[in-house]
Amino acid sequence: MATSRTSEQGLEDRGFEDLLRELTPQVLGAVVRWSGDFAAAEDAVQEALVAAATTWPRDGRPDNPKAWLIQAASRRFIDEVRQQQARRRREERAALREVPLGEVEEYDDTLRLLFLCCHPALTPASAIALTLRAVGGLTTAEIATAYLVPEATMAQRISRSKQKLKGASFELDADEDRLRNVLHVLYLMFNEGYTSTSGPELHRSDLSSEAVRLTRAVRAQLPDDGQVTGLLALMLLTDARRTARTGKGGELIPLAEQDRSLWDQGYITEGVALAVEAFDTPPLGEYQLQAAIAALHDEVDRAEDTDWPQILALYGLLENLSGNPMVKLNRAIAAAMVDGPDAGLKLLEPLDDELAGHYRLDATRGHLYEMRGDRETAAGHFRAAARGTTSVPERDYLTAKAASLG
């Protein structure tokens, strides 16, 4: 492996850690595709990264860093195989198939790795954790912190996921079912980052940003898919509001009260263009409709100028398409904005079975009873919602709402 003599300043120009972060999923994807063993491939790649961190600052960065890492990892994989007689057959196959240096640039296996991590055999929670570890480059400790579980528990979850995928096809399987699973995992990852379900922080921007990055990668390969484009638009239009969603003390600020001058206009411009493109790409799916709703919120400078009748119509289409109870809840809010709080409260009644005990149902009722002028009933629902959430910023906001209504 020939290297070019570059100074340490040269490494800094690209950003040594950023470079390794960018290359890690590509290298891991290549080694998994070549070897068929996720767990062993990850161990080999980690050893290659350690070797790079030791030798590159001293000897200079290779002319082809990705090829260097792939070859270093493949050789470590083969060394491990050779040390285990029980795996002799794999040793023979691996030794014959070492990746040629000149061919590695033909492949970027990041997307294949993403599709593998979102395999239908895994639960959504396991798929998200494995995606963050293998494709996003987060450590097991960082993922465990995000989900408020012990590091050992998360390590076991990721390990079990990798074992389930042993021998799974590594082809870029973009059929409808697999793509739907990939988009669902990315959607859940983004939502957990944008509004953490538990803990002291409202946002986990590392999770939401990684979801945006990975969705961009999917769209780069599937630019004509309306659902992919719609999901990316939805993420950008939603994330554009992130800075305005919390005050100086981290307190939650609802959409209607946000300082819209703080919204990211670059994300809004890109997101609206993508939302229009997605909406014009049949068949119409849930992410395209959600992106269209987000665009209607983001395109106006004042909350009172929001086109609620159009949003209500879009939620009607979305409810017919998905049947998701959270969509029904949001449709009730839109109905209240168009036809008054009683209309919204009536639409909430069927959700007592579907969302029994869910704090968002109480929170929504609290807002609608407040609109109706029934302060006592509203305060009761806000208190119930505060007891039901595990998010500290949401709990504090709901408690404050209840107190303000007496």
Side-chain angles (χ1 to χ4, degrees), residues 148 196-200 359 385-395:
L148 298 179
S196 298
T197 53
S198 57
Y359 80 97
R387 291 192 296 269
T389 181
T390 53
S391 165
V392 173
E394 288 188 318
R395 182 198 64 199

mmCIF file of all heavy atoms in Angstrom, residues 148 196-200 359 385-395:
data_model
loop_
_atom_site.group_PDB
_atom_site.id
_atom_site.type_symbol
_atom_site.label_atom_id
_atom_site.label_comp_id
_atom_site.label_asym_id
_atom_site.label_seq_id
_atom_site.Cartn_x
_atom_site.Cartn_y
_atom_site.Cartn_z
ATOM 1 N N LEU A 148 -31.446 6.171 26.591
ATOM 2 C CA LEU A 148 -31.517 6.068 28.045
ATOM 3 C C LEU A 148 -31.541 4.622 28.534
ATOM 4 O O LEU A 148 -32.334 4.240 29.396
ATOM 5 C CB LEU A 148 -32.749 6.824 28.570
ATOM 6 C CG LEU A 148 -32.769 8.333 28.296
ATOM 7 C CD1 LEU A 148 -34.051 8.949 28.836
ATOM 8 C CD2 LEU A 148 -31.563 9.020 28.892
ATOM 9 N N SER A 196 -37.145 14.148 21.437
ATOM 10 C CA SER A 196 -36.758 12.965 22.200
ATOM 11 C C SER A 196 -37.923 12.503 23.068
ATOM 12 O O SER A 196 -38.594 13.321 23.715
ATOM 13 C CB SER A 196 -35.548 13.269 23.082
ATOM 14 O OG SER A 196 -34.435 13.619 22.287
ATOM 15 N N THR A 197 -38.165 11.206 23.073
ATOM 16 C CA THR A 197 -39.309 10.684 23.818
ATOM 17 C C THR A 197 -39.066 10.677 25.321
ATOM 18 O O THR A 197 -40.011 10.537 26.095
ATOM 19 C CB THR A 197 -39.634 9.252 23.363
ATOM 20 O OG1 THR A 197 -38.446 8.452 23.439
ATOM 21 C CG2 THR A 197 -40.155 9.243 21.936
ATOM 22 N N SER A 198 -37.823 10.842 25.745
ATOM 23 C CA SER A 198 -37.534 10.864 27.175
ATOM 24 C C SER A 198 -36.249 11.637 27.415
ATOM 25 O O SER A 198 -35.483 11.897 26.488
ATOM 26 C CB SER A 198 -37.394 9.430 27.716
ATOM 27 O OG SER A 198 -36.395 8.728 27.012
ATOM 28 N N GLY A 199 -36.052 12.022 28.669
ATOM 29 C CA GLY A 199 -34.819 12.679 29.027
ATOM 30 C C GLY A 199 -34.949 14.190 29.156
ATOM 31 O O GLY A 199 -36.017 14.770 28.935
ATOM 32 N N PRO A 200 -33.841 14.855 29.496
ATOM 33 C CA PRO A 200 -33.883 16.284 29.806
ATOM 34 C C PRO A 200 -33.849 17.214 28.592
ATOM 35 O O PRO A 200 -34.125 18.399 28.719
ATOM 36 C CB PRO A 200 -32.619 16.488 30.657
ATOM 37 C CG PRO A 200 -31.668 15.444 30.139
ATOM 38 C CD PRO A 200 -32.527 14.261 29.778
ATOM 39 N N TYR A 359 -50.345 10.507 26.376
ATOM 40 C CA TYR A 359 -50.335 11.887 26.851
ATOM 41 C C TYR A 359 -50.687 12.896 25.764
ATOM 42 O O TYR A 359 -51.236 13.973 26.039
ATOM 43 C CB TYR A 359 -48.973 12.228 27.471
ATOM 44 C CG TYR A 359 -47.875 12.565 26.484
ATOM 45 C CD1 TYR A 359 -47.579 13.890 26.189
ATOM 46 C CD2 TYR A 359 -47.130 11.571 25.862
ATOM 47 C CE1 TYR A 359 -46.571 14.221 25.295
ATOM 48 C CE2 TYR A 359 -46.130 11.876 24.975
ATOM 49 C CZ TYR A 359 -45.850 13.205 24.692
ATOM 50 O OH TYR A 359 -44.861 13.516 23.797
ATOM 51 N N ALA A 385 -51.664 15.026 30.953
ATOM 52 C CA ALA A 385 -50.643 14.867 29.913
ATOM 53 C C ALA A 385 -49.243 14.971 30.510
ATOM 54 O O ALA A 385 -48.333 14.212 30.138
ATOM 55 C CB ALA A 385 -50.835 15.916 28.829
ATOM 56 N N ALA A 386 -49.061 15.912 31.447
ATOM 57 C CA ALA A 386 -47.746 16.078 32.081
ATOM 58 C C ALA A 386 -47.336 14.821 32.832
ATOM 59 O O ALA A 386 -46.157 14.446 32.841
ATOM 60 C CB ALA A 386 -47.765 17.280 33.023
ATOM 61 N N ARG A 387 -48.306 14.154 33.448
ATOM 62 C CA ARG A 387 -47.984 12.911 34.162
ATOM 63 C C ARG A 387 -47.632 11.781 33.209
ATOM 64 O O ARG A 387 -46.933 10.837 33.586
ATOM 65 C CB ARG A 387 -49.181 12.490 35.031
ATOM 66 C CG ARG A 387 -49.453 13.389 36.214
ATOM 67 C CD ARG A 387 -50.452 12.753 37.175
ATOM 68 N NE ARG A 387 -51.762 12.565 36.571
ATOM 69 C CZ ARG A 387 -52.755 13.452 36.621
ATOM 70 N NH1 ARG A 387 -52.563 14.615 37.238
ATOM 71 N NH2 ARG A 387 -53.926 13.185 36.060
ATOM 72 N N GLY A 388 -48.084 11.868 31.966
ATOM 73 C CA GLY A 388 -47.903 10.762 31.030
ATOM 74 C C GLY A 388 -46.647 10.820 30.187
ATOM 75 O O GLY A 388 -46.247 9.809 29.610
ATOM 76 N N THR A 389 -45.983 11.985 30.109
ATOM 77 C CA THR A 389 -44.801 12.081 29.249
ATOM 78 C C THR A 389 -43.526 11.823 30.032
ATOM 79 O O THR A 389 -43.444 12.125 31.227
ATOM 80 C CB THR A 389 -44.723 13.467 28.580
ATOM 81 O OG1 THR A 389 -43.569 13.512 27.725
ATOM 82 C CG2 THR A 389 -44.603 14.584 29.605
ATOM 83 N N THR A 390 -42.526 11.254 29.357
ATOM 84 C CA THR A 390 -41.200 11.049 29.967
ATOM 85 C C THR A 390 -40.188 12.067 29.469
ATOM 86 O O THR A 390 -39.004 11.981 29.786
ATOM 87 C CB THR A 390 -40.691 9.622 29.673
ATOM 88 O OG1 THR A 390 -40.742 9.385 28.260
ATOM 89 C CG2 THR A 390 -41.532 8.587 30.386
ATOM 90 N N SER A 391 -40.639 13.024 28.652
ATOM 91 C CA SER A 391 -39.776 14.105 28.176
ATOM 92 C C SER A 391 -39.854 15.263 29.159
ATOM 93 O O SER A 391 -40.931 15.799 29.425
ATOM 94 C CB SER A 391 -40.220 14.572 26.789
ATOM 95 O OG SER A 391 -39.634 15.816 26.455
ATOM 96 N N VAL A 392 -38.723 15.660 29.717
ATOM 97 C CA VAL A 392 -38.713 16.726 30.722
ATOM 98 C C VAL A 392 -39.197 18.056 30.142
ATOM 99 O O VAL A 392 -40.039 18.727 30.762
ATOM 100 C CB VAL A 392 -37.304 16.861 31.344
ATOM 101 C CG1 VAL A 392 -37.239 18.081 32.274
ATOM 102 C CG2 VAL A 392 -36.935 15.590 32.110
ATOM 103 N N PRO A 393 -38.724 18.507 28.952
ATOM 104 C CA PRO A 393 -39.230 19.774 28.420
ATOM 105 C C PRO A 393 -40.730 19.753 28.160
ATOM 106 O O PRO A 393 -41.425 20.746 28.426
ATOM 107 C CB PRO A 393 -38.439 19.954 27.116
ATOM 108 C CG PRO A 393 -37.194 19.164 27.308
ATOM 109 C CD PRO A 393 -37.624 17.982 28.118
ATOM 110 N N GLU A 394 -41.246 18.643 27.632
ATOM 111 C CA GLU A 394 -42.689 18.556 27.409
ATOM 112 C C GLU A 394 -43.449 18.551 28.733
ATOM 113 O O GLU A 394 -44.496 19.214 28.857
ATOM 114 C CB GLU A 394 -43.021 17.298 26.601
ATOM 115 C CG GLU A 394 -42.612 17.386 25.145
ATOM 116 C CD GLU A 394 -43.129 16.217 24.320
ATOM 117 O OE1 GLU A 394 -43.082 15.075 24.807
ATOM 118 O OE2 GLU A 394 -43.568 16.465 23.189
ATOM 119 N N ARG A 395 -42.941 17.829 29.715
ATOM 120 C CA ARG A 395 -43.600 17.789 31.025
ATOM 121 C C ARG A 395 -43.663 19.188 31.639
ATOM 122 O O ARG A 395 -44.697 19.623 32.155
ATOM 123 C CB ARG A 395 -42.852 16.844 31.960
ATOM 124 C CG ARG A 395 -43.493 16.686 33.346
ATOM 125 C CD ARG A 395 -42.496 16.122 34.329
ATOM 126 N NE ARG A 395 -41.381 17.052 34.523
ATOM 127 C CZ ARG A 395 -40.201 16.697 35.031
ATOM 128 N NH1 ARG A 395 -39.961 15.433 35.351
ATOM 129 N NH2 ARG A 395 -39.253 17.602 35.196
#
